[in-house]
Amino acid sequence: MNATIQDVRTTKSELKLTLKNSIAFLALLFMMHEAHEIAHTAIGRLLCGCWGERDFNVWGLCNTCAVSQDLGFIATLAGPLFSFLMMWWGASLLKNTNTTSQKSIGYALIFANMPFARLLTAIAMGGGDEVYTLKHFMENDTLAWIIGSIIILCICIYPLYKAYTAISKRRLLWFLLFFIAPTFIDVLIVLGGMNTLLTNGVLDTYWILGSPILVTVWTAIVILLFTLSRKHIYTLLR
């Protein structure tokens, strides 16, 4: 194990933010956002045989896609399925017998996949991939909203519980910060800033994977940033 990674086993941990592990977490957050969107378009590519176009949060199947609309919803569900799997992987790393280094990446994975955004979009706004899919297959939009919200809540509750109980000091404060702040940071920087640049024509030529050049450049930057800073994510919990 890398010498910078802690190898301490403890029942409860203390969370300590530094500039370095904050940068690592933000890089992971943006990387998970891109992975979520690529999960959509990659499954669309497998279904259709061609890449659909996308920006930083809106995507579609390619215009020549021959699969039925019902089958196309597999691509819609691929994004949240990826995010939920990452959250549960994170929860699995929060076992009491694990080192603080393992718990740190577990804690980060849960919140970098923005459970607050998934819950807010479904419960408060009646939207999101999960509810949108249910509305397509059900005649009653209200019932689809209720069922979708319950499903998302049930999926997120265990990872959130594990994250809440993982630390001992200032537990509620840290939980609320990591639960809520990543969504607003992502909305401000990615959905607001990056999409605005794209709308204004900055590197908006479509290139590989159905993405504009700006999306590809951003993806490469956040991957590089996380690669350079990843050792600091292991210091999140102590």
Side-chain angles (χ1 to χ4, degrees):
M1 182 177 293
N2 192 304
T4 61
I5 298 175
Q6 299 178 29
D7 192 19
V8 179
R9 298 179 188 276
T10 180
T11 302
K12 298 295 180 183
S13 303
E14 179 183 357
L15 193 151
K16 186 173 182 179
L17 274 183
T18 66
L19 177 61
K20 290 179 179 179
N21 64 27
S22 296
I23 291 173
F25 176 77
L26 290 176
L28 180 64
L29 169 68
F30 298 139
M31 195 168 66
M32 289 296 100
H33 177 122
E34 283 305 302
H36 175 103
E37 299 303 326
I38 290 172
H40 285 305
T41 56
I43 296 301
R45 172 66 176 82
L46 290 175
L47 290 171
C48 303
C50 49
W51 290 96
E53 294 184 353
R54 54 158 293 203
D55 58 16
F56 284 95
N57 69 310
V58 177
W59 63 277
L61 299 176
C62 60
N63 293 332
T64 58
C65 184
V67 302
S68 68
Q69 190 174 8
D70 291 347
L71 189 60
F73 274 91
I74 297 174
T76 303
L77 293 176
L81 178 60
F82 170 84
S83 297
F84 292 142
L85 286 173
M86 291 297 101
M87 289 182 209
W88 275 74
W89 180 26
S92 73
L93 294 174
L94 291 175
K95 296 185 296 184
N96 288 336
T97 55
N98 279 355
T99 66
T100 51
S101 299
Q102 291 170 312
K103 291 179 181 179
S104 292
I105 187 63
Y107 195 89
L109 277 170
I110 290 171
F111 293 113
N113 284 281
M114 296 183 285
F116 179 72
R118 305 240 60 81
L119 290 165
L120 178 69
T121 305
I123 296 173
M125 303 171 65
D129 299 321
E130 306 90 337
V131 174
Y132 180 61
T133 300
L134 287 172
K135 285 181 177 179
H136 174 77
F137 290 102
M138 300 176 65
E139 295 182 359
N140 190 321
D141 284 358
T142 301
L143 184 59
W145 165 61
I146 293 172
I147 293 174
S149 298
I150 291 173
I151 290 173
I152 297 169
L153 182 61
C154 289
I155 293 173
C156 291
I157 194 69
Y158 178 71
L160 291 175
Y161 167 77
K162 291 293 290 184
Y164 180 76
T165 58
I167 57 176
S168 54
K169 295 183 179 180
R170 300 176 182 174
R171 175 183 291 171
L172 182 59
L173 176 64
W174 286 124
F175 176 84
L176 291 177
L177 177 65
F178 275 84
F179 182 51
I180 298 173
T183 298
F184 286 96
I185 292 171
D186 188 74
V187 168
L188 178 65
I189 295 179
V190 181
L191 305 190
M194 300 306 295
N195 259 343
T196 298
L197 290 176
L198 196 59
T199 301
N200 289 333
V202 177
L203 299 177
D204 62 347
T205 302
Y206 281 89
W207 191 33
I208 60 173
L209 308 183
S211 303
I213 295 175
L214 183 63
V215 171
T216 304
V217 170
W218 171 256
T219 303
I221 288 172
V222 297
I223 291 174
L224 177 62
L225 183 59
F226 182 73
T227 300
L228 295 175
S229 65
R230 68 185 186 280
K231 65 182 180 181
H232 301 296
I233 203 74
Y234 295 103
T235 68
L236 197 59
L237 301 185
R238 300 180 180 183

